[in-house]
Every structure is written in C-alpha cells, then in structure tokens.
Amino acid sequence: MHMPSLSSIILLCAVGLASAGDICTYTSRGCSGSFGCCYGIAQNTCCNWPSNYGWSVKFQNMPMTSTWSGKTYGDSTCTTQAAGGGSSSGSTCLSVFNSPTSLNWLSGNWNAGTGMRRDVEARDNATCVRPNVIGFTTEDGKDHLVKVPEGNFDQVNEWVKTDDFSKLLELDSV
C-alpha cells in the first residue's frame, strides 16, 4: 500500500478543514453499531445510503473556521427534510425515532454558514454520493474502518448486512 508523505497529509488536512466534513450514518440509534461515512464530503453535496442505515447520523470533522449546519432527509436526494439537524452550536449525533413521516433518514448534507442552499443544483441526483468508508466492530471487539472501492458501496453493504466481515477485512483499512 502506498503511504502518502507527511506534507501531502498536512495539505489535505488544511484543504479538508476549509471545505469538507464527514457525514456518518449508523445502523443503530445513538451513533453506534455498523456505519457508513461520506468522508471528506463537500458542502451542499448530498450523501445518501440504503435503508439499513439512517437510524442515527453524525456530522463530524466539520470546518473549524466557520459555522456550519447539517440536515437529514427522509428521501435519498436531500429534498424532503426530516426533523434532524446538527450545527456548530448544537448536536452532532442525531437519532431518529419512528414517526409517521420517517422510519429512518436516507440522506444528509451540510453547509458552511447558518442556512442550507435550497436550489436545484444542491439537490440534484448528480451531486449525491454513497459512503466511501464502512465501519464495524468484529466479534473480538475491535473497531475497523474500511475504504469502499469507488462504485462498490452496495456490494460492500451486502457484506455488512450478512455480517461477512472477512470480505471487508480484505479491503484497505483507513
């Protein structure tokens, strides 16, 4: 595996702080259990996931130099806002509880500043991405973060749903 240089890591971190954050969605309430994350997701980009996730959502590693707000949605294209939201001044782990309008959240996005863009560009399917990291805990109690090969989230997610962690462990760890 190729290891990036220290200067590359510092540069990526500096760029990431200014323009990207992480949206992680969990298979359980309280931001626990298996999870999928859109790591390094740009503001206004919609992160969407299959319905076995979305019981809770965490906004993390958000830009430190500005205020931000994150929202969760009941559909997969960040158009029908659900009740959950996080911000630089409030909660970052949002647990969904069954309601008449949503069983779980199916997408989320964030924006630097106090409001979210509501134009078509921000909600366009072309700007939606699937998680690029899966996290899970094996039977021996060890936590693992695994990079998802681009375009293979649905396949990797099937391994999570069937607890076939041996296949996941063959992928690159984060």
Side-chain angles (χ1 to χ4, degrees):
M1 176 168 57
H2 171 73
M3 297 300 292
S5 69
L6 181 58
S7 60
S8 298
I9 293 171
I10 292 170
L11 177 62
L12 286 173
C13 287
V15 171
L17 287 176
S19 61
D22 304 334
I23 300 174
C24 297
T25 179
Y26 295 79
T27 57
S28 302
R29 292 182 177 106
C31 296
S32 63
S34 299
F35 58 92
C37 295
C38 290
Y39 269 30
I41 189 170
Q43 67 176 330
N44 298 319
T45 301
C46 181
C47 175
N48 66 11
W49 48 81
S51 63
N52 62 307
Y53 293 99
W55 286 99
S56 55
V57 175
K58 182 188 284 185
F59 296 92
Q60 62 188 26
N61 300 322
M62 302 307 285
M64 301 297 283
T65 58
S66 67
T67 59
W68 61 269
S69 62
K71 295 194 177 167
T72 55
Y73 300 85
D75 62 13
S76 62
T77 57
C78 294
T79 55
T80 305
Q81 186 179 345
S87 71
S88 52
S89 62
S91 175
T92 59
C93 178
L94 313 164
S95 291
V96 71
F97 294 94
N98 294 351
S99 73
T101 57
S102 63
L103 177 61
N104 61 1
W105 294 308
L106 296 177
S107 62
N109 64 7
W110 73 275
N111 187 302
T114 56
M116 298 297 288
R117 280 183 33 192
R118 301 297 300 175
D119 62 298
V120 175
E121 178 187 342
R123 299 183 314 243
D124 183 40
N125 243 352
T127 62
C128 289
V129 297
R130 289 286 186 146
N132 54 6
V133 170
I134 292 257
F136 62 95
T137 304
T138 51
E139 289 179 8
D140 61 2
K142 291 184 180 177
D143 289 333
H144 298 273
L145 293 175
V146 177
K147 293 180 201 173
V148 175
E150 189 171 336
N152 291 327
F153 180 81
D154 292 329
Q155 177 185 4
V156 171
N157 183 53
E158 286 302 313
W159 300 338
V160 171
K161 287 173 30 178
T162 60
D163 292 332
D164 191 353
F165 297 123
S166 62
K167 288 182 180 180
L168 287 171
L169 292 171
E170 294 173 10
L171 298 174
D172 282 339
S173 294
V174 176

